[in-house]
Amino acid sequence: MSTTTNVPYRLEFTVEVPGTPEQVWQAIATAKGMSAWFTPTEMEEREGGSLHFQMGPDMGSEGRVTGWDPPRRLVYEEDWAALMGKEPDALSPLTSEFVVEAQSGGTCVVRVTSSGFGTGAEWESEFWDTMGPNWIPFFDNLRLYLAHFTGQEATLLEAAASHPGDPQSLLSTLRAALGLGEEGSEVDVRGATGTVERIAQSQTLVRLTAPVPGILNVFAFAEGEGKSTVGVRAYLFSADAADYVRREEPGWQAWLKELPVSA
């Protein structure tokens, strides 16, 4: 196995989303936009600007903007070595490029490429094998944001709990406990009403309408050693959203911890 960073890794995919190039750019290339469908983001919106993605209470990713051509092309680098707890020269930066192309009918195609160089270690291959399944589902959030909430600032509600079991079984249990039906069905989720917009392998998306409009993401992912995390992440778009989160987030956290699962 090589001990220098000359082993290439690459992930490339395209997504079609509603909106003009300017609307899509606002969603993928500004701190307000990224925070409304991905993760809380700080960004200096210019070439050379700093970048920070918050990935949990004690985890984040630092980077900088290296390409800035509104509304067509964004490139940024993240410190892959620091993110993985490695020595600074152990890995190349993790580079991501977004290219926006307008289509007929009021949509755009976004071409996303992430790449980096490692040493060929087994954990690096595992990182890239899971990167697509972890990253691509967020673009369902982006579609829903652009379709219904474009340009709006989000307030985030997050709650999660760990349980024994595989992600698919636990997600099925979670969906049943919340009464989530098929796509297009109207639902009442712990006092919030909305419509099921998307059912995927790792998540279900609900467009909330009351008491606070927004996007509810119900998800599960594997932790390893026979356990998985189940959780909810809501991007809320209302002047009342912060008060709603203060009231409801503790209840969500307690409810998820008590979720009845099979041993």
Side-chain angles (χ1 to χ4, degrees):
M1 182 185 71
S2 172
T3 57
T4 59
T5 55
N6 60 4
V7 178
Y9 298 96
R10 185 179 181 89
L11 170 69
E12 187 171 9
F13 59 93
T14 62
V15 293
E16 187 171 3
V17 297
T20 65
E22 291 76 17
Q23 289 171 327
V24 175
W25 178 264
Q26 184 279 332
I28 66 170
T30 70
K32 182 175 81 170
M34 290 286 278
S35 299
W37 61 273
F38 180 42
T39 193
T41 300
E42 299 173 12
M43 178 191 293
E44 293 179 343
E45 296 160 9
R46 59 177 176 82
E47 187 168 349
S50 64
L51 178 69
H52 175 80
F53 295 123
Q54 181 181 322
M55 297 180 172
D58 302 309
M59 185 178 181
S61 182
E62 303 290 340
R64 64 187 182 94
V65 178
T66 58
W68 184 264
D69 181 17
R72 193 186 71 87
R73 180 175 177 269
L74 168 72
V75 187
Y76 59 78
E77 293 182 348
E78 296 172 78
D79 190 337
W80 187 20
L83 180 63
M84 305 310 297
K86 305 295 182 180
E87 293 297 320
D89 296 332
L91 301 163
S92 78
L94 175 60
T95 300
S96 293
E97 178 185 51
F98 294 71
V99 177
V100 181
E101 299 178 358
Q103 304 293 295
S104 60
T107 67
C108 289
V109 166
V110 183
R111 304 183 187 280
V112 184
T113 305
S114 293
S115 60
F117 289 87
T119 63
E122 183 176 351
W123 75 264
E124 295 170 5
S125 297
E126 292 174 353
F127 175 89
W128 286 89
D129 286 344
T130 59
M131 186 177 179
N134 291 337
W135 178 215
I136 295 173
F138 279 100
F139 288 84
D140 285 334
N141 302 358
L142 175 61
R143 289 189 188 94
L144 195 54
Y145 172 68
L146 286 166
H148 298 282
F149 306 106
T150 184
Q152 298 186 49
E153 185 171 359
T155 298
L156 192 64
L157 181 155
E158 286 189 287
S162 177
H163 290 282
D166 65 90
Q168 285 72 35
S169 296
L170 286 170
L171 183 57
S172 178
T173 298
L174 181 56
R175 290 185 66 248
L178 291 172
L180 302 183
E182 299 303 313
E183 291 182 3
S185 62
E186 301 296 319
V187 293
D188 185 317
V189 185
R190 289 180 48 82
T193 58
T195 304
V196 177
E197 294 281 350
R198 169 77 169 147
I199 299 174
Q201 183 176 10
S202 61
Q203 67 179 24
T204 294
L205 293 182
V206 178
R207 178 169 58 88
L208 299 175
T209 52
V212 178
I215 301 168
L216 177 66
N217 183 320
V218 178
F219 64 86
F221 62 84
E223 298 176 22
E225 300 182 353
K227 300 183 74 174
S228 298
T229 292
V230 293
V232 296
R233 182 183 297 111
Y235 308 86
L236 303 172
F237 305 99
S238 167
D240 300 326
D243 288 339
Y244 179 84
V245 170
R246 281 192 289 269
R247 292 195 311 269
E248 298 296 329
E249 195 170 67
W252 270 109
Q253 188 65 53
W255 186 86
L256 287 167
K257 286 182 178 179
E258 296 168 2
L259 183 71
V261 299
S262 301

